[in-house]
Amino acid sequence: MNDFDVREFNDQELMDLIHLYHKIEEYLKYLKESIIEVDSNDKAE
Amino acid sequence: MTKQNDVYIQSLERMKEQIENYPLKIFEGTKKVQKEYHIDAVNQRNEYVLKQISKLEKDLDIVKSLLVGKMEKLLPQLRSDDEKKQLDELKELENMFVFYNSYGDFFSKLGFDRIFFDMGHYDELDFDVILSYLCQFIETFKLAGVSLSSKDFSYSNYVQEFMCSFFSHYKNDDFQEQMKDVFDNIYWNCPNLVVHLKLNIYVLSFKYQKKLDQYCIKKMKGLSNLNKNDSYSFLSKYEKIRKDIKNVKLSDSYYIVQKFVNNDYNIDDFLETSDVWKQKFNQFLNDCNYDDMTDEERDDYFRELIQLKYMLYEFDNIKQYDELKKDISNRFNNTDKNMFKNKMKEIKKIESLKNKLLKKYYSLANKDNHNKYRDKISFLISEINEKINTLDTLYMELEDVRMTEKIKNSLSNGSTIYDAFCLVDTCYGYLKHFFETKMELKDSNKLNKMLEEFHEFVYSGFLVISKSVNIFQECSIVDMINHKCKLFHINLLINEEDNLDSIKKDLEFIEFLYYVGKCYLSVSQIKFICEVKTLV
């Protein structure tokens, strides 16, 4: 067994951390998709 | 969810709302003003989004390193030192195994049966292997106190010619190349040279049997403090270490986690809330289910189901070796008491004829004017070859007779399947020939693998049925298994012809479930490890 107390790893906290990771991924995906391309016609004028 | 995480996720949601509600258009002013505003707003919004992306990427890295840190701390380490110690111990016992196995004779203990059998199948052998067999044979004799020379290899004129070169080049740097040339030259005159060599080896082995037997005893004593009578305790130790190694692979946390990480099992099937494991367990229970049992009752059931798994595997293996069992029985029941004597008589007669012909050959071939007798010499050579071919068949038959004698002498009416399998496990030639003919396997590698599997099976340390069932009596193993199931309230009834694969697989799952339950990590912690492993 590893020389640490597994009780320091609360199951719920571990799962929450994973959940947080996936949430950040989800928002990152949203952010990347929400960049608006500026219309070239707009630019030309 | 921790408060801190909650607050953070809420901030992300607010950020999203802000982006979605960002005013990108105005409706006042000229079209040009409206367009300019729009471009400006889009750029500002994009700038904000990019800033958020950069921030979130940093946050993601932080969370990822936190996850990896926790995962690595949780991840069980391979106890390689302990495992190496066990494997070294097994290796040491493997080296001693042949010498401690009381069923083996000097011929098998010294590996001569392998040489004899393989050289009989020389068309599948590389010349280097044949050469290494000859070296092994000569070196083993040397260790036994017998220094062989070319004079000992006089089975035929070709053997004599080959072995004279062998000893003159032995241990030279170019030994292999030189011998290859010698072999190629002789081969054109005598394509059966390997058979001649093989028979010479066979005859020499039995000529020096007494010395070789003594060497085997000396070797056994030198390997450990155990004496011959300790063969039983040696085998128990040998089986135990093999069993322990297997158990470690099943129960050690490192291997348990690896099985999930490698997708051999799905961790979700093992969650407390999953029906999968419960259904698999409950299907074997009579009139009760997992939820209604005490921890002690569950543990008992687990142990019985695991034992049942091993019994079903054993049953399938015994079925696979059914022909072998029949052959052992037939040999045991053979009533011919003079088989060996009669076969030896036949051999001696032909050996004497062959030796006379060989003597005649040398008397003519050594004459100064031997060319004058060329036709006679050719005739003699063909006669000698013919006699050696007959002798080859007779010696193989003698080996077969020796096998029957060994079975009759080593086994008794009370012998179990295990006793009989331990005995034939020492007989390389018999077993390989048996698998080759009865199981119609020709590929030498596959045959060797079958021999290994057979040895693994016999000495697995998990055998229960084979150690209690008499090999010579009709006994329904199916009834034994069904009886055990009934006795321990296990809901299973099998028939002789049933395919047990899916039942064995479910029992294997239950065995794994048992060890997962004993693991110091919780299923959620293992799930966490698996999930983080997919992220990195």
Side-chain angles (χ1 to χ4, degrees), chain B residues 209-261:
Chain B
Q209 181 174 352
K210 211 172 166 185
K211 281 212 162 186
L212 294 169
D213 269 334
Q214 282 167 351
Y215 170 65
C216 287
I217 294 166
K218 200 175 127 194
K219 176 106 179 153
M220 186 179 84
K221 281 182 182 163
L223 285 169
S224 86
N225 300 326
L226 297 167
N227 61 47
K228 208 181 172 191
N229 297 330
D230 289 327
S231 167
Y232 179 77
S233 59
F234 172 83
L235 288 182
S236 304
K237 198 176 163 191
Y238 179 66
E239 281 184 18
K240 190 185 172 298
I241 186 92
R242 293 175 77 95
K243 193 176 174 177
D244 288 349
I245 290 172
K246 267 190 199 157
N247 276 337
V248 166
K249 300 242 173 200
L250 284 167
S251 61
D252 188 89
S253 315
Y254 172 81
Y255 289 106
I256 288 176
V257 171
Q258 287 309 310
K259 277 183 186 138
F260 287 118
V261 170

Side-chain angles (χ1 to χ4, degrees), chain B residues 178-195:
Chain B
Q178 289 283 354
M179 289 319 296
K180 180 100 181 60
D181 288 345
V182 174
F183 183 83
D184 285 344
N185 285 335
I186 299 175
Y187 187 81
W188 294 113
N189 293 320
C190 178
N192 259 357
L193 175 62
V194 181
V195 172

